[in-house]
Amino acid sequence: SVTNERSVLVAYARDDKVMSQRLRKEVGPSKDEYGIVHAVTETDGVIVDVGANVGVTSITAAKCHPNLQVISFEPVPTTYFLLYYNLLLNNIPILRPDEIRLGGRPGVLPVHAALAGRDQEKVVRWSMQASNMAVVNSMENENNDNDRLGESFLRSNVRSVSLESYLKSHGRVDTCVRLLKMDCEGCEFEAIPAMGSFITDRSRVRRFSAEVH
């Protein structure tokens, strides 16, 4: 685990050096490594963190914007556990799905799911060595991952959701996304084309930041 004056973050063993650097730069009310969280000026609505990993951006968002709701998607089972644990360590309120709505109780809703063009079941493969060593793929393409990743990568089925549909069905917050951040190790190639009209509508998604792999 690594700490700064305000936050604690537990991560995988090989993440310690990288995460400690990110924690010093990013986690906390006055810190924001990428400049995306502090760009938010609204005092209501939601921030969506796709590929939340162990919670760096979600914790930053919750501390910088204590009146907003954060929805954090993470598909890897063990990483999702660390995300949830880190939220508790940092005293971030954990929300229930039925609490998501404009003007609802602030906090973070951790969601164990991947993003895709539609709701379906996917396969997630990951290494216990580092939190960024993971890939989500369809059932049909799983054999390609087996050949490429090898037997050391763990496997699990995970549900995937359409982001626009998910937000519509949870308090209709698809109309008040103040920031959408995506860093999902390749899911963007399926998810972004499927929601092109959604993320380009600035009345619904005010800011969009993504890492393309």
Side-chain angles (χ1 to χ4, degrees):
S1 65
V2 289
T3 65
N4 69 2
E5 71 278 7
R6 292 179 179 268
S7 305
V8 180
L9 192 70
V10 174
Y12 291 76
R14 291 189 183 177
D15 284 341
D16 272 358
K17 182 177 180 180
V18 174
M19 286 297 178
S20 62
Q21 293 172 348
R22 290 189 66 188
L23 190 66
R24 286 194 296 271
K25 293 178 182 178
E26 186 168 352
V27 177
S30 63
K31 301 172 183 291
D32 181 3
E33 181 179 5
Y34 300 112
I36 58 173
V37 173
H38 277 84
V40 176
T41 57
E42 293 83 359
T43 56
D44 62 5
V46 299
I47 292 173
V48 181
D49 185 2
V50 178
N53 202 272
V54 298
V56 175
T57 298
S58 293
I59 293 170
T60 301
K63 292 192 173 188
C64 289
H65 304 288
N67 295 320
L68 271 62
Q69 296 184 323
V70 181
I71 305 176
S72 307
F73 292 89
E74 175 52 51
V76 177
T78 50
T79 308
Y80 174 79
F81 170 82
L82 292 175
L83 164 65
Y84 203 107
Y85 188 58
N86 285 328
L87 293 173
L88 295 175
L89 282 177
N90 289 279
N91 298 312
I92 305 297
I94 305 292
L95 302 179
R96 302 186 312 270
D98 62 358
E99 293 183 292
I100 298 299
R101 62 183 180 277
L102 183 63
R105 182 170 74 97
V108 176
L109 171 64
V111 182
H112 181 215
L115 231 62
R118 56 186 176 88
D119 295 357
Q120 58 185 308
E121 190 170 46
K122 295 273 193 175
V123 174
V124 59
R125 300 287 305 276
W126 76 98
S127 168
M128 291 295 292
Q129 299 302 312
S131 59
N132 63 348
M133 297 174 64
V135 62
V136 176
N137 214 332
S138 65
M139 299 286 191
E140 296 79 9
N141 295 327
E142 183 181 2
N143 289 336
N144 295 336
D145 289 338
N146 291 336
D147 296 338
R148 180 166 58 91
L149 301 176
E151 296 182 357
S152 63
F153 274 64
L154 302 176
R155 177 197 183 281
S156 180
N157 291 356
V158 63
R159 68 176 176 130
S160 65
V161 300
S162 160
L163 180 61
E164 184 178 6
S165 297
Y166 185 92
L167 297 179
K168 280 183 178 179
S169 65
H170 290 75
R172 297 200 62 83
V173 292
D174 60 301
T175 62
C176 57
V177 178
R178 307 315 185 195
L179 169 66
L180 168 58
K181 166 255 173 183
M182 292 185 68
D183 183 2
C184 52
E185 306 300 325
C187 85
E188 64 271 13
F189 292 105
E190 178 181 353
I192 291 178
M195 58 181 183
S197 61
F198 171 56
I199 61 176
T200 56
D201 185 346
R202 286 293 173 264
S203 68
R204 302 171 73 192
V205 181
R206 186 67 185 87
R207 302 165 187 86
F208 174 55
S209 177
E211 179 174 320
V212 179
H213 296 82

